Amino acid sequence: MDSESLLLSLELASGSGQGLSPDRRASLLTSLLLVKRDYRYERVLFWGRILGLVADYYIAQGLGEDQLGERKSLYSLNCMEWSLLPPATEEMAAQTAVVKGRFMGDPSHEYEHIEMQRMTEGDRTYEDEVVIQIKEESRLVSVIDQIDKAVAIIPRGALFKTPFGPVHVNRTFEGLTLADSKKLSSYFHFVEPVELKNKSLLEKADLDPSLDFMDSLEHDIPKGSWSIQMERGNALVVLRSLLWPGLTFYHAPRTKNHGYIYVGTGEKNIDLPFML
Amino acid sequence: MEVFASPKPEESQEEDKQEKQEEGGAREGWQPGEVAPPSSSQDPEPEVADSLKEERESAPEPLSRDGTPPQSPGSGERASGAPSADAAVSPAPSEPSSEGPQLRPGPQGLTSPITPEQDSHAISVAGEPHPSCSEQVPYEREATLHLTGSEESSSYLSQQPQHLPQDLNQNINPPEEQADADSFHHDESNSNSDLNQLELGLTQKGAPEPAAPSKLEIAAQNAKAYLLKKSSKSGLNLYDHFCEILTRILDQRPENVVDIIENISQDVKKAHFNKKLDTLQDEHEVPLAYELAEKQKALFLQGNLEGDQEQEDEILTDTQPIHTCRFWGKILGLEMNYIVAEVEFREGEDEEEIEEEDNIEESEADEDEEDELPKSSYKSPQVIPKEENRTGANKYTYFVCNEPGRPWVRLPSVTPAQIVIARNIKKYFTGRLDAPIMSYPPFPGNESNYLRAQIARISAGTHISPLGFYHFGEEGEEEEEVEGGQDNYEKNPDFEGIQVTELVESLSNWVHHVQHILPQGRCNWFNPIQKNEVGEEEEEEEEVEDEEVEEKREESDNIEQETGPPLLTPISEDLEIQNIPPWTAQLSSNLIPQYAIAFLRSNLWLGAYVFSDGKKFENLYIGWGHKYSPDNYTPPLPPLVQPEYPRRIEIMEMDDPTVDEEQAFQVAQEKALFESEKIEETEEEDDDDEDEDD
């Protein structure tokens, strides 16, 4: 959620039971502003909070001009001092896929993973156990990246794409209508589209290339992995992801307020198909 | 379109090409023919945006065409056409002077903020939303173009491809962004520069022109026709749209019109569509929110809060004879959420229900006796009776509602069977109490039962209190007591509170005050071997540590007694989950430790929180209602296929013989038969012989 509308956004997202205490909010407000100035970001988003066993990570993201472009992630343990995280790479994702369980809360903590690797020495090959150390920081980075790719969402019309390429915030976005806000198709993944190209021409004909340039939520697998609820009697629509429990997206229809926040343990819910 | 197939003067064509190619092509399919020397004659207005200004200056200069009179007459024509909403494709060219005055009163206001120096004629003309004309117009045009989205523009585009010698790239996949306004400015200015006769007296010129040459007239007609052309998608045409925008602007006279011109254009568009629908939509959508707000207001007005209760509980307490009521928490569901209240009834209130259930059980027993079919010797495991109300897992009754303001629904008591199965399944709540739970093993009951079972498990697992807050009652402590010794706890009047920091540091300062649920599904052990009673009586269970009782039960050897940690054990003894401590303790704030609250999070049940400030404490659960496990959930496998009947000597299962075997068997049989025949024959022969001998 935007750091500018932080307080309001936190109120709106609190239906999932995740909130911040007043002093955290106050420190977030000031520190996010400083981050914006220091790193010269266009927008700073408060991404959320990953609960660790010992401490929690507070995550923020900074965006440049292009909304779909590179996003820098920062983390903090006390909402005051932020440290930049390295960008996510595929190796990191592969490595950290083997780590299960909760986050410790200590960024220098290393997970030990024992792997059997074939080593060749001379003529003989044997399998040896190799202990691979995986830093919690890289796990953090890849989890943030995965969550962003999977479940960061944005309502249709909030961003638009210029012919030159960059994606901009749509200043004339007035919010979705009530009817639209209940449909999954009015929300897009806030990430480079993957399935868009596979759509048939017939479907594409109805799309507006300046607005519909991201994947919509309709075709997410498994079906039903989003729970849409209206709260406060149609004054607020809340989407919760069941695949990454803890991700809450809120939007007040007919207004510009929207945003998402993740507060959770940072683990995917692999049991989802059993639970639906 | 056909209108545009007009004669094309050569030079202008070339120039057009140059310009258009330079700047990426004009969006409006201005025919080169109509293009007249551009804004070279126009002076860029100082107030107009700088970018546009630059464009104009750069663009016209290379092309500078001389000798073309300012275009006021041509524009005058069009200007007249605009207010009259003349749909005629080719308005007769009229004297500019005569039309000028018509226009003057109208658009005057518009241009005033932008070009104050214009004379009336120019103003009237400039007011016209003509693409080629004043620089203001390009603004509006661009704005409109921006906001039109690709549809309208593309429709324009699509209808004019053949007329454009150059390609109209870019343009209209527009961006409703100011950033691209620049490119548009380019295009605009180009087209502007291209269209000589379409020059409007943006400029201070305003001197009435002599009668327009016929070329100009045709061009003007073409331009107007173009403007009047309807968009295929929305049925609007640019001409009318511009008129509406200007009308609105002049009516409202907002400040800094040029800055908000896009919004105005957009609003005008919206107004087109929403006029009739608005009232309907509003009525339908808004009242729902209002209703709820009304209900909640009524609740708010009523009574006082008590601790952690929400106001809605007030209504609850009025309708039911309730002893204590507590806000338990919130369980999230797919379609709706549950708000749960924990309620303890006053003594004696719930007996009616028990009686009913007894009746049901009796009737079932009767039916069994009447059954005459051969009874299978299979005895299903005896149904473990549920605990009585106000004991064990059913100590509290729970009410749920979906949203504050809705009526409260009472959840049924939980049976041990439900708890046992609830442990094995993991399903999301949908938010409807009567939804069936489809799972394996099949859950006996619907969502309300599952919900109740989860609530019971969560309470048993996570309700804790600071050490010393509760202590055992004075009576009934002896171990020989069959039951109840560990059920009762009372608030300790001597409790003085523990320091917040201590609460956080050590987990042993917290104790469970709800009984642990045994694997059987109850808090007190029930011995199902007693065959005499069929579920009616509840065996009062022997104390866990009572050895005498165990001796008695040695005969029933198959079932072992299940034990669980006794009440009021500190949570430091909770099992860890794969090296993860079961609780995480924190102070709520690091900045002001003296006012901070100790705060515990359960790692086993995600969403269970406990907080205390030393003296008071509270438990809360907000979450999905599932237990946490770092491993995946594997549904239990179905049981093995049972043998149909026990193996005994008479009945043996064998595989059917294969064809080969059968044939071999047959052959063997024939052989045997043959041989036996032979033997018979020989025997007969012998007999015969014997007979003969005789």
Side-chain angles (χ1 to χ4, degrees):
Chain A
M1 61 187 61
D2 243 336
S3 56
E4 276 125 38
S5 54
L6 188 68
L7 293 180
L8 172 65
S9 319
L10 280 175
E11 276 292 321
L12 295 177
S14 61
S16 309
Q18 316 296 352
L20 292 179
S21 61
D23 63 324
R24 295 267 155 83
R25 291 184 201 194
S27 26
L28 265 186
L29 273 180
T30 44
S31 59
L32 285 181
L33 215 51
L34 290 176
V35 161
K36 187 168 175 178
R37 179 201 72 185
D38 291 338
Y39 290 89
R40 282 182 246 286
Y41 291 134
E42 270 279 317
R43 275 169 79 196
V44 173
L45 305 179
F46 177 59
W47 185 89
R49 177 168 152 191
I50 292 194
L51 308 172
L53 290 176
V54 174
D56 302 333
Y57 295 107
Y58 295 88
I59 315 278
Q61 282 186 334
L63 297 173
E65 270 279 337
D66 184 4
Q67 302 290 315
L68 270 191
E70 271 292 319
R71 253 180 257 180
K72 305 275 192 295
S73 307
L74 305 106
Y75 79 93
S76 155
L77 290 166
N78 58 1
C79 284
M80 259 320 195
E81 295 139 16
W82 296 87
S83 338
L84 195 58
L85 283 173
T89 63
E90 296 223 350
E91 311 167 10
M92 268 200 234
Q95 247 191 358
T96 55
V98 297
V99 181
K100 285 198 292 197
R102 302 280 302 270
F103 276 88
M104 279 309 290
D106 174 17
S108 54
H109 176 82
E110 298 200 337
Y111 297 96
E112 295 193 346
H113 172 64
I114 302 180
E115 220 182 65
M116 309 287 287
Q117 276 188 3
R118 297 190 148 263
M119 318 248 287
T120 52
E121 261 194 24
D123 293 334
R124 45 193 195 104
T125 63
Y126 61 91
E127 288 198 9
D128 194 16
E129 282 193 3
V130 173
V131 177
I132 302 183
Q133 305 267 0
I134 302 174
K135 284 177 53 170
E136 172 138 321
E137 219 180 52
S138 34
R139 184 175 174 211
L140 190 63
V141 165
S142 55
V143 159
I144 296 178
D145 192 51
Q146 278 179 320
I147 293 182
D148 270 342
K149 288 211 169 86
V151 287
I153 53 186
I154 201 127
R156 179 176 186 269
L159 301 181
F160 70 92
K161 190 174 180 141
T162 65
F164 302 116
V167 172
H168 293 277
V169 172
N170 183 1
R171 304 229 170 263
T172 58
F173 175 56
E174 292 281 347
L176 298 173
T177 62
L178 266 185
D180 275 346
S181 54
K182 293 189 191 156
K183 295 191 239 168
L184 268 185
S185 56
S186 347
Y187 301 100
F188 292 146
H189 285 279
F190 191 18
V191 92
E192 292 288 338
V194 170
E195 288 179 23
L196 207 57
K197 306 152 198 160
N198 299 340
K199 282 194 166 188
S200 68
L201 259 181
L202 211 56
E203 291 170 8
K204 278 199 214 172
D206 288 331
L207 298 182
D208 178 357
S210 66
L211 293 182
D212 295 301
F213 55 96
M214 293 179 280
D215 289 331
S216 111
L217 290 192
E218 267 188 314
H219 307 292
D220 267 5
I221 296 168
K223 245 185 154 132
S225 61
W226 288 95
S227 124
I228 295 194
Q229 287 174 3
M230 306 294 295
E231 294 197 359
R232 287 205 255 137
N234 291 352
L236 182 65
V237 59
V238 175
L239 266 79
R240 293 201 186 93
S241 165
L242 303 178
L243 191 58
W244 291 92
L247 183 103
T248 311
F249 169 85
Y250 65 88
H251 173 54
R254 307 260 205 83
T255 70
K256 272 180 112 158
N257 295 330
H258 64 86
Y260 63 90
I261 186 172
Y262 178 84
V263 181
T265 64
E267 287 166 302
K268 197 167 178 175
N269 180 16
I270 311 185
D271 309 329
L272 186 61
F274 290 117
M275 294 170 74
L276 286 176
Chain B
M1 264 15 266
E2 302 67 29
V3 177
F4 287 115
S6 45
K8 311 180 178 191
E10 305 71 27
E11 347 104 16
S12 44
Q13 195 171 12
E14 283 157 29
E15 285 175 2
D16 292 347
K17 281 193 182 151
Q18 280 175 19
E19 283 194 38
K20 288 189 181 173
Q21 279 157 5
E22 273 177 27
E23 313 279 351
R27 165 213 174 287
E28 312 71 39
W30 294 113
Q31 290 311 308
E34 314 152 40
V35 170
S39 48
S40 51
S41 50
Q42 286 187 6
D43 298 336
E45 285 302 321
E47 281 89 320
V48 172
D50 289 340
S51 58
L52 183 56
K53 218 196 287 190
E54 286 151 24
E55 296 315 317
R56 295 201 142 268
E57 286 167 346
S58 58
E61 266 141 15
L63 303 177
S64 53
R65 298 191 193 175
D66 319 273
T68 39
Q71 310 308 324
S72 344
S75 36
E77 289 175 6
R78 251 158 271 117
S80 62
S84 50
D86 197 343
V89 168
S90 47
S94 45
E95 289 303 318
S97 45
S98 58
E99 291 165 3
Q102 293 172 17
L103 297 174
R104 238 168 260 137
Q108 227 161 14
L110 167 63
T111 58
S112 44
I114 302 179
T115 55
E117 311 128 40
Q118 288 181 357
D119 67 352
S120 56
H121 183 73
I123 287 175
S124 56
V125 162
E128 160 136 8
H130 199 287
S132 65
C133 65
S134 51
E135 286 126 359
Q136 314 136 337
V137 174
Y139 265 109
E140 297 168 17
R141 211 15 167 23
E142 291 161 20
T144 325
L145 292 178
H146 287 168
L147 300 164
T148 320
S150 47
E151 298 120 23
E152 204 165 359
S153 38
S154 54
S155 65
Y156 277 104
L157 269 183
S158 56
Q159 292 170 21
Q160 310 167 23
Q162 63 273 28
H163 298 279
L164 300 175
Q166 306 85 356
D167 55 333
L168 311 179
N169 29 7
Q170 289 206 311
N171 355 331
I172 313 170
N173 256 348
E176 295 147 353
E177 231 303 313
Q178 210 57 29
D180 292 298
D182 295 339
S183 63
F184 269 90
H185 287 204
H186 284 265
D187 297 340
E188 289 295 343
S189 49
N190 284 339
S191 54
N192 294 343
S193 43
D194 293 344
L195 310 162
N196 30 14
Q197 77 275 26
L198 307 180
E199 287 301 329
L200 292 189
L202 183 228
T203 65
Q204 307 72 6
K205 309 243 155 72
E209 293 298 324
S214 62
K215 194 166 67 166
L216 281 179
E217 286 175 15
I218 296 178
Q221 293 169 20
N222 291 340
K224 182 169 181 190
Y226 171 74
L227 280 183
L228 283 169
K229 186 164 40 107
K230 286 183 193 281
S231 147
S232 61
K233 280 216 181 174
S234 60
L236 299 175
N237 62 23
L238 194 54
Y239 207 63
D240 293 334
H241 186 65
F242 275 141
C243 299
E244 283 175 42
I245 292 180
L246 289 174
T247 316
R248 187 185 270 221
I249 290 177
L250 292 173
D251 287 337
Q252 295 176 357
R253 306 288 175 108
E255 296 282 315
N256 295 329
V257 175
V258 66
D259 294 327
I260 55 170
I261 191 67
E262 292 88 1
N263 287 349
I264 296 179
S265 170
Q266 196 179 27
D267 288 342
V268 167
K269 283 223 182 99
K270 272 198 212 167
H272 268 288
F273 297 113
N274 292 344
K275 240 183 299 187
K276 288 160 201 163
L277 301 177
D278 252 348
T279 46
L280 283 182
Q281 278 179 357
D282 282 344
E283 286 185 31
H284 181 63
E285 294 157 356
V286 175
L288 187 54
Y290 286 158
E291 272 175 30
L292 271 180
E294 289 275 325
K295 276 195 214 156
Q296 294 182 351
K297 179 178 165 192
L299 292 173
F300 275 114
L301 287 178
Q302 284 195 17
N304 316 316
L305 283 183
E306 284 180 47
D308 295 301
Q309 281 177 1
E310 292 195 350
Q311 289 88 332
E312 305 81 57
D313 288 357
E314 280 295 315
I315 297 290
L316 182 63
T317 53
D318 290 343
T319 57
Q320 305 265 359
I322 288 179
H323 188 239
T324 61
C325 184
R326 215 191 110 240
F327 175 63
W328 184 90
K330 179 172 171 180
I331 293 195
L332 304 172
L334 293 181
E335 295 168 21
M336 287 185 290
N337 306 326
Y338 292 114
I339 298 184
V340 182
E342 186 181 77
V343 160
E344 187 171 346
F345 278 105
R346 295 198 207 115
E347 302 276 334
E349 285 301 327
D350 274 351
E351 291 176 359
E352 301 170 2
E353 280 203 26
I354 300 177
E355 288 175 14
E356 287 173 8
E357 288 158 7
D358 287 337
N359 291 339
I360 295 174
E361 288 169 355
E362 284 174 12
S363 57
E364 282 177 2
D366 291 334
E367 286 171 14
D368 283 337
E369 292 168 6
E370 292 166 7
D371 194 12
E372 290 178 0
L373 294 172
K375 286 193 183 169
S376 62
S377 56
Y378 169 72
K379 289 210 170 96
S380 55
Q382 184 164 19
V383 174
I384 300 166
K386 69 177 207 280
E387 291 173 307
E388 266 208 67
N389 289 346
R390 268 175 275 125
T391 60
N394 282 323
K395 183 165 181 142
Y396 292 103
T397 320
Y398 292 91
F399 283 80
V400 295
C401 79
N402 285 121
E403 267 201 35
R406 300 256 159 109
W408 291 88
V409 178
R410 181 182 174 156
L411 285 182
S413 307
V414 67
T415 67
Q418 288 169 354
I419 292 190
V420 167
I421 296 190
R423 281 185 168 135
N424 286 336
I425 65 177
K426 197 171 174 190
K427 280 277 188 187
Y428 276 117
F429 294 100
T430 63
R432 289 168 287 125
L433 283 176
D434 50 355
I437 307 270
M438 290 185 287
S439 66
Y440 182 77
F443 187 80
N446 55 16
E447 182 153 317
S448 53
N449 302 105
Y450 183 46
L451 182 62
R452 179 68 181 82
Q454 291 292 91
I455 293 177
R457 288 172 70 200
I458 292 174
S459 299
T462 63
H463 277 208
I464 60 182
S465 57
L467 180 66
F469 194 83
Y470 289 120
H471 69 153
F472 287 122
E474 294 297 320
E475 326 93 32
E477 270 302 327
E478 303 95 25
E479 288 188 359
E480 282 87 64
E481 281 276 331
V482 161
E483 54 109 14
Q486 291 195 345
D487 270 4
N488 298 334
Y489 53 86
E490 288 171 355
K491 246 183 159 175
N492 184 355
D494 304 327
F495 179 63
E496 281 169 1
I498 310 183
Q499 281 293 317
V500 167
T501 42
E502 284 177 30
L503 284 177
V504 170
E505 279 165 25
S506 148
L507 292 182
S508 57
N509 281 324
W510 295 88
V511 296
H512 286 275
H513 64 253
V514 177
Q515 276 184 316
H516 176 81
I517 299 186
L518 301 170
Q520 193 184 38
R522 293 170 49 117
C523 292
N524 297 318
W525 167 248
F526 172 73
N527 182 8
I529 296 298
Q530 314 288 331
K531 290 181 190 172
N532 302 332
E533 292 83 7
V534 187
E536 275 196 17
E537 248 184 61
E538 289 176 14
E539 279 292 306
E540 295 310 346
E541 277 35 76
E542 291 74 30
E543 275 290 321
V544 166
E545 298 119 7
D546 205 328
E547 287 175 2
E548 301 171 2
V549 178
E550 283 183 7
E551 285 172 2
K552 281 186 211 164
R553 285 229 246 103
E554 279 171 6
E555 303 160 358
S556 50
D557 43 355
N558 289 341
I559 302 181
E560 293 177 3
Q561 186 146 32
E562 294 171 6
T563 66
L567 201 59
L568 294 187
T569 48
I571 61 177
S572 50
E573 303 198 9
D574 278 355
L575 296 174
E576 287 189 352
I577 325 157
Q578 283 196 6
N579 308 332
I580 304 173
W583 295 88
T584 302
Q586 277 178 355
L587 274 179
S588 67
S589 120
N590 300 329
L591 299 179
I592 26 171
Q594 58 266 38
Y595 293 111
I597 305 182
F599 164 77
L600 262 82
R601 260 197 330 244
S602 168
N603 292 328
L604 185 54
W605 292 96
L606 291 178
Y609 301 102
V610 186
F611 49 91
S612 158
D613 67 346
K615 295 251 160 123
K616 292 188 278 189
F617 79 99
E618 197 47 65
N619 295 293
L620 196 62
Y621 180 83
I622 298 185
W624 293 97
H626 299 116
K627 205 168 188 175
Y628 170 78
S629 98
D631 295 325
N632 302 345
Y633 164 76
T634 46
L637 297 171
L640 291 175
V641 176
Q642 295 173 350
E644 284 182 26
Y645 33 81
R647 269 177 179 253
R648 272 173 286 170
I649 304 184
E650 306 98 61
I651 311 170
M652 256 200 336
E653 281 192 57
M654 279 194 330
D655 291 330
D656 279 342
T658 63
V659 178
D660 294 334
E661 286 179 15
E662 273 193 28
Q663 282 182 349
F665 184 65
Q666 226 175 7
V667 166
Q669 244 190 349
E670 283 173 9
K671 254 199 194 171
L673 194 59
F674 189 59
E675 283 177 15
S676 67
E677 283 178 359
K678 259 198 180 171
I679 296 176
E680 282 181 10
E681 286 176 5
T682 52
E683 282 182 3
E684 285 178 4
E685 288 175 3
D686 289 339
D687 285 342
D688 288 341
D689 288 339
E690 288 178 8
D691 288 338
E692 289 174 1
D693 288 339
D694 288 341

